[in-house]
Structure formats: structure tokens, C-alpha cells
Amino acid sequence: MRIHLVNPNTTRSMTEKAADAARAVAAPGTEIRADESAFGPVSIEGPWDGAMAVPGLLARIEEAIAAGVDAHVIACFDDTGLDAARALSPKPVIGIGEAAAHMATLVAERFTVVTTLSRSIATLEANLVRYGLAARCAKVRAAEVPVLDLEDPASDACGRISEEIARALVEDRAEAIVLGCAGMTDLARRLSQIHGVPVIDGVASAVTLAEGLVRMGISTSKVGGWATPRPKPWGGPPLPQARRAD
Ligand code: 5HY
């Protein structure tokens, strides 16, 4: 099967890190097609970035549909553009935030999300309410690490995330931790070993769930809010089309 992993921001190194994590967990025979938004912000930190990332994301979703992929994974913990992508594609679309939260509920009564900056918290809290999972989430915390610091080996990002995890285990009585950024995907195993609890990465969670849906032959229901968009005229200049380099 072929899974499309799309990073809604435009930072290639984050795409490659997520693609590595996806390939590490994917079953033999699963091909990962990875790309990032064709245009938009280099990182998503709050609602404006998130809104501006969606058109470039949807351009990649359209390309992947045309290429015949079996499912899509949105590799941003905010699940940026998830509803629009589910309406657009006939194939399953899994957001790493929703996927990680579901996985956490299978191994812990209470989990805490540790994300990057405080400005991302409201979006993640609203998502959990939307998904029906807020009751199982003790808290959404921020390690106060800018997203792109996770791409800088010299930054103390991992240390700050680890300190926040330690606080969550005591103050929140968290039994598992969900890493609240695609850029943290390479930290899960090490942080789980340090803290002795499940530390859940959304990329691995989403790829695992996407493979399961494809094997079950289940895709997005089109009879409700995720119905295929109705064709209609477009006002103003056309959106830039994605032009794949390769
Ligand atoms: C992410 N931002 O996973 C989110 C995390 C955040 O560019 N990729 C981003 O900070 O909201």
C-alpha cells in the first residue's frame, strides 16, 4: 500500500524526520510518499499559521489523490486542514494529533500532551474536545520550545520537553505522555526510557492507524460533514498550484 505523509509546514527537514519515523513503523510493503505544503509558513505555531498552511496542504493532497495513494497522514500535531482534507480525498486521512490521543487512551487512564509553545495549547485543547477525548487528557502543556528549535541539535529542546514531562507525571498524575509536535517524533523512545511511561509519537500512531483502515477497507464517510466538496466558481485569482520538484 502507499501512504501519503504530508507536513503542512514548509520545512523539508521536518518532513524528512517524520518520513523516517513513518518508514520505521510501517509494515513491509507499505510505501511512504512524503512531502510538505507547496507554500505557506515554515512552522505552525497557533491559529494564523494553521489557517495559512491549509491551501498548500490541500494542493499536496490533490496531487497524492491523483497519484493513487491509499491513505493520507497529516504530520502536524494541530491536525491542520484535517476536515478539509477528509472532504477532499476519497481515501482515509489521519491527523497525528488525533491518532496519538487515541493510542494514549489505549494504554493509560490519564495522559498529558507536551507541545511546543503556549500559543498552540488552545488549538490542541479544542481538538481533543472535538474528538471526544478531552476527558482522558489531564492537561495540555507547553515546553516553551519554538517548533524549529527541534531541528537544531544545539538547542536544549529535548531537555526542556523532558523537564515538562517530569512535571506532568507529578502534577497531572499523567500515566502516559503524548508528544505534541511532529518535530518531536525522534524523541519518543528516549523520553519513554528516561521517564518509565509510554511516550507516544503521533507520526507512528497515525501511520499504524492508516494502515489498519486500508487493510480493513474502511474510508471516510461522505454522507455528512466530510462530503465531497460541491463544484462551484472561484472568485479572484487562482491558488498557486503545487509544482513538485521531483
Ligand atoms: C507541528 N507545528 O506538529 C505543530 C506543533 C505545534 O509546525 N508542526 C508544526 O507547535 O503546534
Side-chain angles (χ1 to χ4, degrees):
M1 73 177 76
R2 296 178 70 205
I3 294 179
H4 173 219
L5 179 142
V6 52
N7 167 16
N9 73 40
T10 47
T11 297
R12 184 69 192 167
S13 65
M14 287 188 69
T15 307
E16 289 168 351
K17 189 191 308 185
D20 289 347
R23 293 180 178 121
V25 75
T30 295
E31 177 194 334
I32 303 294
R33 169 196 170 104
D35 53 31
E36 58 278 339
S37 274
F39 43 89
V42 293
S43 65
I44 295 165
E45 297 167 328
W48 188 88
D49 292 346
M52 297 308 284
V54 174
L57 166 83
L58 294 177
R60 292 299 193 211
I61 295 281
E62 280 191 304
E63 283 180 353
I65 294 166
V69 300
D70 298 296
H72 311 268
V73 165
I74 296 179
C76 173
F77 196 82
D78 300 39
D79 295 339
T80 305
L82 180 59
D83 288 315
R86 282 183 174 157
L88 180 60
S89 181
K91 304 297 184 181
V93 187
I94 309 289
I96 70 169
E98 185 175 22
H102 278 292
M103 291 302 199
T105 63
L106 302 178
V107 296
E109 291 275 2
R110 305 162 59 82
F111 66 89
T112 286
V113 175
V114 176
T115 190
T116 55
L117 297 175
S118 297
R119 63 183 56 214
S120 295
I121 290 175
T123 297
L124 305 189
E125 287 177 337
N127 285 352
L128 288 165
V129 171
R130 175 95 195 286
Y131 303 149
L133 297 174
R136 301 287 294 278
C137 180
K139 191 169 186 172
V140 178
R141 289 174 171 266
E144 298 311 339
V145 168
V147 169
L148 294 188
D149 275 15
L150 291 158
E151 302 307 293
D152 175 4
S155 85
D156 64 348
C158 187
R160 297 182 72 161
I161 293 163
S162 190
E163 289 164 8
E164 201 63 32
I165 291 173
R167 282 191 279 273
L169 298 181
V170 174
E171 297 169 15
D172 309 342
R173 294 189 290 114
E175 300 163 16
I177 298 295
V178 168
L179 295 178
C181 180
M184 300 177 185
T185 186
D186 58 338
L187 305 178
R189 190 178 301 274
R190 182 185 345 161
L191 289 168
S192 186
Q193 289 164 347
I194 291 169
H195 294 284
V197 297
V199 175
I200 296 160
D201 156 47
V203 174
S205 301
V207 169
T208 301
L209 290 174
E211 286 184 316
L213 287 174
V214 172
R215 279 199 291 273
M216 293 166 69
I218 294 177
S219 190
T220 304
S221 174
K222 292 292 183 179
V223 299
W226 292 322
T228 301
R230 292 174 56 238
K232 60 190 69 173
W234 180 272
L239 279 172
Q241 288 303 310
R243 281 176 294 282
R244 285 185 66 79
D246 52 311

